[in-house]
Amino acid sequence: MSGLKEKLKRLIETGGPISVADYMALCLFDPEDGYYTTREPFGVQGDFTTAPEISQMYGELLAVWALSAWRAASRPVPSMLAEIGPGSGTLMCDMLRTLNRLDPSFVILTRVGMIEASPRLAEIQRGRLSAGKAKPTWFADVASLPKVPLVIVGNELFDAVPVRQFVKTAQGWCERMVGLDGDGELAFAVGGAGIDPALLPPNAAGAPEGAVFEAAPAREALMDEICARIAGKGGAALFVDYGHTQPGLGDTLQAVRRHAYDDVLGHPGEADLTSHVDFSALAAIAEAHGLEARTATQGEFLLGLGLVERAGKLGAAADEETRDRLRGEVERLAGADAMGALFKVICVCGKGMDLPPFAASR
């Protein structure tokens, strides 16, 4: 049994059931036993593989977008290129290599920021980025960034931000909690009724018993902070995550361990916990700040930026094995039966900014 599971049991025995959001936060970020505090989750040897680890082309195309955003913002100096939730550092490593080739002045004139709350992951990122021309600065949160125009990217960021869950019962909507069953094991429980109706979607009243709704106030607060910065100082943001473009009911909380789905309550601190992102909620926050929010599937975004053409160029002088690998990478990243449809992209910018592959409103 993990140390975190014992800690959670003692916490619940003492103070009663905890919210799903608190359970997620402890599992992922506990200072001693949290998943991101203690484990190396990325890549084949970890628990899951993200798009930057699948192919260098992913980071190369995000670099094209970032350079376009800086140019569309009239090449501000000073300014900052930042990644939030940088993971292993692979994405920024590929982006900086590409940017140095496309426009060295961008790398010279723009500061590079890495927003990382985990000291352990920050050290891994420093190792990946120490050899490049750009010398990134690490920040614990968005509030610590310098007050300059900001081009910011995040890959699989919002899915790991804790969510609250509500379940429809005979007594009405109640918050879903994590408690202990009769054998003293972790189990889902139901909290008291009386949920603020403003937290629920419009179709909540007609939902059947057992229906689940997820709300993400911490996720929305983070998006609000980023949008406020862009609205005030200029720049653009790009976030890629798996989720849905319309709000709705459903339990999307999941655990991944050793590249397979796991019991959400089975291995706290040893499995990654995530939930699907409501992109419509993120877009509404951007629009409330007077910004444009443009969305697409990951497949549409990458194909629009030239994924197939880039693969063709890389494979032109390569052997057949390499070309097969590149074709496989394109399919994983952009295929409708792979990440291409499940993952969505949201681009946030000032009104009328021309940012490929999105069409600017006129």
Side-chain angles (χ1 to χ4, degrees), residues 62-86:
L62 263 64
V64 171
W65 178 88
L67 180 58
S68 299
W70 182 65
R71 289 173 174 173
S74 302
R75 305 171 187 257
V77 178
S79 63
M80 171 157 281
L81 169 65
E83 182 182 0
I84 181 168

Side-chain angles (χ1 to χ4, degrees), residues 269-293:
E270 298 178 6
D272 186 36
L273 294 182
T274 63
S275 69
H276 286 208
V277 175
D278 180 357
F279 279 81
S280 65
L282 300 183
I285 292 168
E287 290 161 0
H289 283 277
L291 301 170
E292 284 190 15

Side-chain angles (χ1 to χ4, degrees), residues 178-266:
V178 176
L180 300 177
D181 62 16
D183 296 323
E185 296 299 322
L186 296 176
F188 285 115
V190 175
I195 301 302
D196 182 356
L199 290 172
L200 302 172
N203 60 342
E209 276 191 44
V212 173
F213 173 68
E214 295 171 343
R219 183 183 292 163
E220 293 172 10
L222 177 57
M223 186 64 167
D224 184 74
E225 184 177 21
I226 293 169
C227 289
R229 176 65 61 90
I230 293 172
K233 293 297 180 180
L238 185 82
F239 301 111
V240 186
D241 229 312
Y242 56 86
H244 43 272
T245 56
Q246 296 297 325
L249 303 175
D251 178 5
T252 72
L253 183 63
Q254 63 187 34
V256 174
R257 183 170 180 252
R258 299 171 183 169
H259 296 271
Y261 290 113
D262 194 33
D263 179 357
V264 168
L265 302 179

Side-chain angles (χ1 to χ4, degrees), residues 50 52 58 62 80-96 111-116 125 129 137-139 142 145 150-157 238-239:
T50 61
Y58 183 80
L62 263 64
M80 171 157 281
L81 169 65
E83 182 182 0
I84 181 168
S88 65
T90 301
L91 175 58
M92 184 58 77
C93 186
D94 288 339
M95 288 182 67
L96 291 177
R111 294 181 62 185
V112 176
M114 305 289 279
I115 307 169
E116 179 55 71
Q125 296 154 18
L129 296 167
T137 303
W138 272 259
F139 301 90
V142 174
L145 295 175
L150 175 67
V151 175
I152 184 170
V153 299
N155 182 72
E156 294 196 45
L157 165 72
L238 185 82
F239 301 111

